[in-house]
Amino acid sequence: MRIGYNPNKDKKQEPNDFFHQVVIPVYIPDSEGYFKDSLKILEYCLKSLFKTIHPKTYITVVNNGSCIEAAEYLTDLQKTGKIHEIINTTNIGKLNAIIKGISGHNFTFITISDADVLFLENWQEETYNVFEKFPKTGAVCPTPSSKSLKNYTFNIWFDLLFSKSLRFTKVKNPTALKAFAESVQNPNMYQDIHLEKYLTVSKDNFRAVVGAGHFITTYRKEVFENSRIRYSNFMLGGDSEAKLLDLPVVEKGMWRLSTEENFAFHLGNIEEKWMEETLEKIKPNNFLPDNPIFLQKIKFSRIGFIVKHKLFSKILTRQKIWYYCLKIKGLSKSETLKYIQKNE
């Protein structure tokens, strides 16, 4: 039986000051083998996040079937107000955890991050700068890669193929690229040419790197609006990340870019001395932004997506045409040949 009238019925949500959400899925089933250092790695990740974010950032952690020690650590952080939301679930896979994390909210920006990221100073501010300078941007990664130039980026190539704003420029921090390669056990990931030049877009002396990874990336909320993805069959990997995180950006007519400088490190699963040393050097954030009003509405069409992403990509990636495109964007003949090798 119900008596009386629920005071919340038909009542609108109260506005809040948060406009940027950070979603981190966490899976630490135990402290053995592959996961023996994972809790410590998570501590580095969250401590660096707390240091570097502005106060209008809402933190959501999805506890994806982790062990009691990890769950208790997260609960303690929520009790002290450092984490705003914890979603506890069984191990439903990384992508399903992300879907849960972004549901039920309405933030201007959504950062989706792995639990082994070390956030560096100014990553938010520099991310916003990319969105502001390039209004078509839908996703920004704070870790640039010279090998992302063909990763869901053909709409950028289409828009800027004959523009001088799309050019190969000098890699700003080759050491960071090599550090990422080492962290994923692939020290030969980058050839010398990849450490020297990457493809960038420029505006008013400001540059961003073409393409974006997704171990940490910030998205405009529009990317996930009306999403068809409700469930992923993969626990990790497969084509699930591309379908949820990459393709929707392009489908909605947006660009995928990265910051020119490196503003995050990939930690992996083994604790190393440099991690704590780097964390200690990070200065607390004093960046106090207003709710961003610079984002412009992006017009897009299904036909435009098909032309740019599906048809144009097939033309551009033909060997002779791709070779020519790399040359007109600033590479020499020898550099172009190195860039189009199989491990590009």
Side-chain angles (χ1 to χ4, degrees), residues 8-16 58 103-107:
N8 289 310
K9 185 174 176 62
D10 299 326
K11 185 178 181 180
K12 290 187 177 182
Q13 290 276 5
E14 293 291 334
N16 60 59
Y58 186 94
S103 299
H105 293 295
N106 185 32
F107 298 105

Side-chain angles (χ1 to χ4, degrees), residues 3 14-17 31 44 52 66 87 114 126 166 182 185 235 237 242 248 257 274 287 296 308 325 332 335:
I3 299 176
E14 293 291 334
N16 60 59
D17 290 334
S31 56
Y44 288 137
T52 56
S66 296
I87 301 172
D114 287 355
E126 293 300 328
L166 183 67
E182 291 286 349
Q185 286 187 295
M235 296 298 288
L257 299 172
W274 68 266
F287 176 46
Q296 301 176 16
K308 295 181 181 182
C325 289
S332 67
E335 290 171 337

Side-chain angles (χ1 to χ4, degrees), residues 202-343:
S202 62
K203 183 179 180 182
D204 302 328
N205 296 319
F206 181 90
R207 287 194 291 261
V209 178
V210 173
H214 36 59
F215 88 99
I216 168 179
T217 303
T218 300
Y219 303 84
R220 287 175 57 146
K221 68 176 182 180
E222 292 87 351
V223 171
F224 302 110
E225 289 177 346
N226 305 315
S227 174
R228 301 187 304 272
I229 307 298
R230 293 288 183 269
Y231 175 78
S232 171
N233 292 316
F234 292 94
M235 296 298 288
L236 185 67
D239 63 352
S240 52
E241 291 188 71
K243 285 183 177 179
L244 176 66
L245 304 177
D246 297 335
L247 192 58
V249 179
V250 182
E251 285 181 321
K252 295 190 176 181
M254 301 180 190
W255 293 356
R256 300 175 65 256
L257 299 172
S258 298
T259 55
E260 186 183 24
E261 179 58 273
N262 183 75
F263 292 99
F265 285 127
H266 178 248
L267 299 176
N269 65 317
I270 301 297
E271 181 184 8
E272 299 175 78
K273 185 178 179 180
W274 68 266
M275 299 175 182
E276 185 172 3
E277 293 174 347
T278 304
L279 177 64
E280 290 177 351
K281 292 177 182 177
I282 297 174
K283 297 177 182 178
N285 172 66
N286 58 4
F287 176 46
L288 298 172
D290 294 323
N291 194 332
I293 58 175
F294 55 79
L295 292 182
Q296 301 176 16
K297 187 173 182 180
I298 298 176
K299 295 181 179 180
F300 65 95
S301 68
R302 183 65 183 173
I303 294 176
F305 165 71
I306 293 173
V307 170
K308 295 181 181 182
H309 180 69
K310 295 190 175 182
L311 299 180
F312 183 69
S313 65
K314 291 181 180 179
I315 297 172
L316 196 71
T317 53
R318 291 177 180 176
Q319 188 172 7
K320 290 184 178 180
I321 296 176
W322 184 238
Y323 172 85
Y324 171 76
C325 289
L326 296 186
K327 279 197 68 178
I328 66 171
K329 289 305 172 185
L331 294 183
S332 67
K333 181 178 179 180
S334 61
E335 290 171 337
T336 301
L337 291 173
K338 292 177 182 178
Y339 240 98
I340 63 176
Q341 290 181 4
K342 288 184 180 180
N343 64 342

